[in-house]
């Protein structure tokens, strides 16, 4: 698995835990990093930057997801899908060195591994619309 995909998966783990337990993202991230054994993975800094970025821009990210998720409220989305979308939207809007198709494809690929059969198509649609809006 490529390093950035591993980083996205780790970011998903943290965001999923915080979301599921209704906990502070920064505190969840701090505890997650503390639990990691040394040497820590090389991709960890990117994972941390994704979690911190999502946390910093959560209101705007969720607003975009909610407005482009036709027929879905953000609360009704599966927790995995909601947080994959958050990571991808953060990358679409705020990470200059990740191309839009890469951010979308990575979310879709992780959804194939970790979520429902409908999730990849669902995320591809939402993220494609947000990418069109953002650029």
């Amino acid at each position: 698995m490529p390093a950035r995909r591993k980083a996205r998966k780790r970011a998903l783990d943290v965001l999923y835990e915080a979301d599921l337990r209704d906990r502070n993202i920064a505190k969840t991230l701090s505890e997650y990093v503390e639990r990691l054994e040394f040497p820590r993975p090389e991709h960890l800094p990117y994972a941390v930057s994704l979690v911190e970025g999502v946390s910093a821009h959560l209101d705007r990210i969720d607003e975009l997801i909610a407005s482009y998720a036709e027929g879905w409220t953000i609360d009704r989305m599966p927790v995995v899908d909601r947080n994959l979308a958050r990571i991808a939207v953060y990358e679409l809007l705020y990470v200059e060195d990740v191309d839009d198709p890469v951010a979308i494809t990575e979310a879709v690929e992780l959804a194939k591994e970790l979520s429902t059969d409908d999730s990849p198509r669902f995320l591809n649609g939402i993220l494609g619309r947000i990418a069109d809006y953002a650029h």
Side-chain angles (χ1 to χ4, degrees), residues 69-97:
E70 298 165 355
W72 286 84
T73 63
I74 200 145
D75 294 334
R76 280 189 54 225
M77 287 178 199
V79 178
V80 169
D81 296 0
R82 177 170 54 233
N83 287 291
L84 283 172
R86 286 171 171 161
I87 292 166
V89 170
Y90 172 72
E91 287 184 313
L92 288 170
L93 298 181
Y94 302 104
V95 181
E96 299 273 328
D97 69 332

Side-chain angles (χ1 to χ4, degrees), residues 21-83:
R21 295 179 174 191
D22 197 25
R23 296 188 64 224
N24 176 279
I25 293 172
K27 183 171 175 55
T28 304
L29 174 62
S30 173
E31 291 170 356
Y32 180 88
V33 171
E34 284 176 25
R35 289 191 304 258
L36 294 176
E37 294 180 16
F38 287 93
R40 293 194 169 140
E42 289 182 24
H43 61 267
L44 185 61
Y46 190 65
V48 169
S49 73
L50 290 173
V51 174
E52 289 174 344
V54 167
S55 181
H57 300 282
L58 188 61
D59 291 341
R60 178 70 180 133
I61 290 168
D62 281 358
E63 176 186 315
L64 280 170
I65 293 169
S67 64
Y68 285 90
E70 298 165 355
W72 286 84
T73 63
I74 200 145
D75 294 334
R76 280 189 54 225
M77 287 178 199
V79 178
V80 169
D81 296 0
R82 177 170 54 233
N83 287 291

Side-chain angles (χ1 to χ4, degrees), residues 109-124:
E109 289 301 315
L110 285 168
K112 286 179 186 175
E113 291 176 36
L114 304 168
S115 198
T116 70
D117 290 343
D118 295 330
S119 297
R121 187 171 41 81
F122 173 72
L123 284 171
N124 192 49

